[in-house]
Amino acid sequence: MGPWSPVRLFICLRFENLKQFGALKAIGVTNWRLTGMVLLQAFVVGLMGFGLGTGMAAAFFEATLRKIATRGIILMWQSVALTGGCILFVVIIASLLSIRRVIVLEAATVFRG
């Protein structure tokens, strides 16, 4: 469930910024440039989600290291790598959906009201 949180945030950002993307298209920004903008934002959101989640997990494991009930629970690098791979996969799927939405956007629909 955790990897979907940054994706939901990213998709909400896309829908809120459709007017701005339409305005950029109206002034002549190419689809490649808009695609690059979407991918950059997706990468930043995914990296922030991964960093915050991994950091909180590491802090939790460090804080509970000396407790009897949680002794022996460690954060292995394989878990971090697998989590990163899952987040990358989810961010790619969300990016593809968002890029499609931005590319098919008509610039004139933004100014109609």
Side-chain angles (χ1 to χ4, degrees), residues 17-105:
N17 292 333
L18 278 178
K19 285 187 174 187
Q20 286 81 3
F21 281 116
L24 287 171
K25 276 186 127 175
I27 62 173
V29 176
T30 64
N31 283 337
W32 284 106
R33 180 64 57 134
L34 291 174
T35 300
M37 292 170 64
V38 169
L39 290 175
L40 177 65
Q41 289 178 353
F43 176 73
V44 168
V45 168
L47 192 62
M48 285 174 47
F50 174 72
L52 288 173
T54 304
M56 287 190 298
F60 172 77
F61 289 137
E62 187 63 32
T64 61
L65 184 65
R66 310 248 188 291
K67 306 286 184 195
I68 293 176
T70 57
R71 187 180 304 155
I73 299 177
I74 58 172
L75 184 61
M76 297 173 34
W77 70 268
Q78 293 93 343
S79 298
V80 175
L82 182 64
T83 302
C86 290
I87 289 178
L88 180 65
F89 173 73
V90 170
V91 165
I92 288 172
I93 297 298
S95 298
L96 292 176
L97 294 173
S98 296
I99 288 169
R100 182 184 160 277
R101 179 85 179 197
V102 168
I103 287 177
V104 299
L105 177 69

